[in-house]
């Protein structure tokens, strides 16, 4: 075996960036942090940071989520790797490769800023992708910091496509939920209105998707609605196909 010389290869850093999605006020929202340090100081960005030498990628993602926002991935949130981004010029400081993660959770509380984030808030994904950030002011620029607009768009599309063929939509719901609440999740993520009766027929007729809890609720107003919890099916057959817009 030929000797290995680490100095023969250029050094680079590894970061984790987080696409944290939740449904708030019937809208799909993403977590945005305003950067408190250069580069892109004052610009909105996705939460994230550098991976430490003694942690793996999942540990780094969970730590950054807690440090920058006060949220914890283990509290009912779904966490998965999204994609890797390695354009040589994506970070002006040095060569940085980012491993992005997707986090999905039910209606989450208002986040708190920490780490190098000056402030943090939930913003509708359409506002972030089209305007570059919530409450954009002079000098904020027309896009998120780094390549975070691309990462956010990829995360949103991952969520939209996965709820077609998997039970992942229930990750946006509390442990017990109604069919109407689940329908509003699909409507928020897909950005379309769905026929209530057709939706009810599909989700209750898909094996392993929903399990009745035996309880009811009137929290949505009107007549008592049946409560369900997520079933054991990881994949939906038949799938919940996204309507064409």
């Amino acid at each position: 075996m030929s000797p290995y010389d680490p100095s023969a290869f250029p050094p680079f850093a590894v970061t984790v960036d987080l696409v944290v999605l939740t449904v708030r006020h019937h809208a799909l929202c993403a977590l945005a942090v305003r950067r408190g340090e250069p580069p892109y100081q004052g610009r909105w960005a996705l939460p994230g940071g550098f991976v430490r030498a003694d942690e793996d990628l999942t540990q780094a993602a969970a730590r950054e989520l807690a440090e920058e926002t006060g949220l914890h991935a283990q509290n009912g949130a779904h966490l998965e790797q999204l994609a890797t981004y390695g354009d040589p010029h994506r970070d002006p400081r040095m060569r940085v490769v980012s491993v992005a993660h997707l986090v999905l959770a039910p209606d989450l509380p208002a986040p708190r800023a920490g780490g190098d984030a000056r402030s943090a808030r939930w913003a509708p994904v359409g506002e972030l992708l089209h305007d570059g950030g919530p409450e954009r002011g002079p000098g904020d620029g027309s896009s998120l910091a780094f390549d975070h607009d691309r990462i956010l768009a990829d995360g949103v599309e991952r969520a939209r496509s996965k709820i077609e063929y998997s039970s992942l939509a229930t990750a946006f719901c509390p442990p017990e939920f109604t069919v109407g609440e689940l329908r509003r999740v699909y409507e928020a993520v897909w950005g379309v209105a769905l026929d209530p009766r057709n939706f009810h027929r599909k989700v209750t007729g898909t094996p392993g998707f929903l399990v009745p809890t035996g309880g009811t609720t009137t929290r949505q107003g009107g007549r008592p609605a049946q409560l369900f919890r997520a079933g054991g099916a990881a994949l939906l057959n038949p799938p919940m196909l996204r309507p064409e817009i």
Side-chain angles (χ1 to χ4, degrees):
M1 179 181 294
S2 58
Y4 171 71
D5 181 10
S7 64
F9 302 94
F12 65 91
V14 179
T15 61
V16 289
D17 289 310
L18 308 176
V19 179
V20 186
L21 301 178
T22 193
V23 175
R24 292 172 62 86
H25 310 298
H26 308 303
L28 181 64
C29 296
L31 188 61
V33 297
R34 192 185 287 276
R35 290 185 56 79
E37 301 176 358
Y40 303 107
Q41 185 173 6
R43 289 272 289 275
W44 290 98
L46 299 176
F50 289 93
V51 178
R52 295 172 178 171
D54 60 347
E55 61 185 1
D56 62 26
L57 295 172
T58 302
Q59 291 171 334
R63 174 182 54 78
E64 284 292 338
L65 182 65
E67 285 184 356
E68 295 210 21
T69 69
L71 303 175
H72 298 276
Q74 65 268 28
N75 293 344
H78 170 86
L79 174 67
E80 67 175 70
Q81 278 193 27
L82 173 62
T84 303
Y85 300 83
D87 186 288
H89 308 293
R90 62 177 304 274
D91 191 316
R93 294 169 292 188
M94 62 179 296
R95 179 72 189 273
V96 177
V97 174
S98 178
V99 182
H101 288 68
L102 178 64
V103 181
L104 309 179
D107 188 7
L108 292 169
R112 62 169 176 79
D116 60 358
R118 196 167 75 193
S119 59
R121 64 160 286 182
W122 296 106
V125 295
E127 181 180 322
L128 287 171
L129 291 174
H130 296 135
D131 299 336
E135 300 175 354
R136 184 163 60 92
D140 281 348
S142 60
S143 64
L144 298 175
F146 305 103
D147 52 357
H148 289 184
D149 48 355
R150 176 188 172 192
I151 297 175
L152 175 60
D154 289 348
V156 170
E157 180 54 33
R158 168 76 67 88
R160 287 173 173 167
S161 62
K162 286 197 75 169
I163 67 173
E164 290 191 69
Y165 63 84
S166 77
S167 59
L168 193 59
T170 59
F172 289 106
C173 296
E176 295 186 357
F177 51 88
T178 67
V179 170
E181 289 168 340
L182 181 62
R183 187 188 77 249
R184 282 185 281 275
V185 165
Y186 273 90
E187 290 177 334
V189 176
W190 283 346
V192 298
L194 300 173
D195 179 75
R197 291 186 178 182
N198 191 36
F199 181 85
H200 191 285
R201 177 182 57 81
K202 285 183 177 181
V203 297
T204 57
T206 301
F209 190 7
L210 304 181
V211 176
T213 66
T216 61
T217 181
T218 57
R219 62 185 175 223
Q220 299 299 313
R223 298 166 56 186
Q226 188 176 9
L227 286 169
F228 294 84
R229 60 176 174 81
L235 300 178
L236 303 182
N237 186 20
M240 298 284 296
L241 297 180
R242 189 185 340 178
E244 295 184 4
I245 302 177

